[in-house]
Amino acid sequence: MERIKDAISKARQSQTQSGLNKSLSPSRPRRPAPDVESEKIAYSETTVTELDTKQLSSNRIITFDSEDPDSVAFDVLRTQVLAKMDENGWNTLAITSPSPECGKTVVALNLALSIAKQTDKTALAVDFDLKRPRIADYLGLKPKASLFDYLEHDLEVKDILINPGFPRLVVLPNTVPVKNSAETLTSRRVKSLVHDLKSRYESRIVIYDLPPLMAGDDAIAFMPQVDCVLLVVASGETKPIEVKEARRQIQSTNLLGVVLNKSSERQTHYY
Ligand SMILES: Nc1ncnc2c1ncn2[C@@H]1O[C@H](COP(=O)(O)OP(=O)(O)OP(=O)(O)O)[C@@H](O)[C@H]1O
Ligand SMILES: [Mg+2]
């Protein structure tokens, strides 16, 4: 545990040294999000699907419930993430980890829901773990079409986006593993999709759930297409050497921070 904390603290230090605040190329003017101008959002093109909150909780997706004590940690994470992103004019965030099963998908979905609770933002969670897509499963979604169909059958983006019943949250799920995943993530079609998702709405934060760095070159290959990255490590599982190697691999991307997940330390006080 101490060793993980040391590794994280070193990662944070070197993140500051490597210029977290360096600006990206000037962002293009984007449309103000029509969907954040009023509390009541009407989705005209996006499919709306109500979710089973019990199933969400059993999959550790809990930030829809502000009373859940664990949602506070995600709200704090959201505030820190948004502060850094706003400061730098960033709106796209990748989530990855050194090794598998650190909790990336759980963090990505909870963070997206937490962001969507804020009335001045919308969140879009994109399943770009093309080998092991899980977002649809975790949310209990059974979409008729998903990213796979967009890639293989020339569907339009609006045909695969889903609003899972929470205002200001949209999901781009995938239900079928995609072959040649790293090549796909750097293909012209995906680049154009990423560009479209980034530039369509001014107040939208796009979160890409990626595979782990150790599982191949997908995450590294995709990284140049996002503004910044959040690294998820699992307490008691991720080794310091893995954190170090992960930092090396993503050194040319803006590291927003490291999330220590699966910690057994509990918040025992009200504040
Ligand atoms: N904070 C946590 N405490 C306990 N278990 C957790 C926590 N976060 C996630 N898990 C569990 O760990 C497992 C892996 O979670 P998740 O699928 O989010 O990880 P992942 O990093 O996305 O995995 P993969 O590398 O396969 O994409 C799941 O069973 C999930 O419920
Ligand atoms: Mg995952």
Side-chain angles (χ1 to χ4, degrees):
M1 184 65 202
E2 278 310 308
R3 290 191 319 174
I4 288 277
K5 280 186 178 159
D6 280 355
I8 290 169
S9 132
K10 275 186 198 144
R12 282 200 186 116
Q13 273 169 18
S14 60
Q15 141 198 333
T16 314
Q17 284 155 11
S18 64
L20 182 68
N21 293 336
K22 77 176 173 239
S23 296
L24 294 189
S25 51
S27 46
R28 297 196 305 109
R30 279 173 266 131
R31 277 188 258 166
D35 44 355
V36 292
E37 279 161 9
S38 68
E39 278 289 305
K40 189 136 180 78
I41 296 170
Y43 285 96
S44 51
E45 296 190 317
T46 308
T47 309
V48 180
T49 307
E50 293 297 327
L51 299 186
D52 175 353
T53 50
K54 274 200 190 127
Q55 183 175 359
L56 289 182
S57 301
S58 68
N59 288 329
R60 301 181 197 277
I61 315 301
I62 42 92
T63 38
F64 63 88
D65 178 7
S66 298
E67 299 300 309
D68 187 309
D70 289 336
S71 80
V72 175
F74 283 107
D75 290 347
V76 171
L77 177 67
R78 166 202 61 197
T79 302
Q80 292 174 336
V81 163
L82 290 182
K84 286 278 179 222
M85 291 183 76
D86 280 350
E87 194 179 305
N88 291 285
W90 298 337
N91 68 338
T92 58
L93 166 70
I95 300 196
T96 189
S97 61
S99 50
E101 308 243 326
C102 290
K104 296 175 292 299
T105 306
V106 164
V107 169
L109 289 173
N110 278 306
L111 181 60
L113 255 167
S114 180
I115 290 171
K117 284 195 290 192
Q118 290 206 327
T119 50
D120 61 343
K121 296 278 181 213
T122 62
L124 168 61
V126 183
D127 198 338
F128 263 12
D129 187 339
L130 300 189
K131 291 192 183 103
R132 292 213 291 177
R134 288 286 179 277
I135 283 186
D137 277 355
Y138 280 15
L139 294 177
L141 292 171
K142 295 194 176 17
K144 286 192 194 103
S146 75
L147 180 67
F148 178 84
D149 305 282
Y150 172 86
L151 296 169
E152 299 289 321
H153 305 303
D154 266 5
L155 294 190
E156 288 184 52
V157 185
K158 67 178 174 55
D159 300 325
I160 54 169
L161 292 178
I162 294 181
N163 165 244
F166 298 104
R168 294 179 294 278
L169 175 67
V170 175
V171 175
L172 197 161
N174 186 28
T175 52
V176 185
V178 177
K179 287 191 189 129
N180 302 321
S181 47
E183 292 79 2
T184 304
L185 287 173
T186 51
S187 66
R188 201 180 292 180
R189 184 137 172 89
V190 164
K191 280 185 179 159
S192 141
L193 171 66
V194 168
H195 181 265
D196 186 27
L197 297 178
K198 178 177 176 61
S199 50
R200 191 167 287 232
Y201 295 119
E202 209 172 80
S203 314
R204 178 191 269 174
I205 301 292
V206 189
I207 298 177
Y208 291 95
D209 182 25
L210 296 183
L213 290 155
M214 277 164 57
D217 60 337
D218 293 26
I220 296 289
F222 179 66
M223 218 52 85
Q225 297 184 62
V226 290
D227 294 334
C228 52
V229 58
L230 204 56
L231 200 62
V232 179
V233 303
S235 175
E237 295 173 25
T238 311
K239 299 184 180 75
I241 184 100
E242 293 171 349
V243 179
K244 201 173 164 199
E245 174 57 15
R247 281 282 298 127
R248 193 190 62 74
Q249 290 189 19
I250 57 174
Q251 61 192 335
S252 50
T253 310
N254 297 297
L255 176 62
L256 212 54
V258 182
V259 175
L260 179 64
N261 192 31
K262 302 192 179 182
S263 167
S264 54
E265 282 173 36
R266 282 254 145 211
Q267 191 82 32
T268 49
H269 303 293
Y270 178 76
Y271 290 107

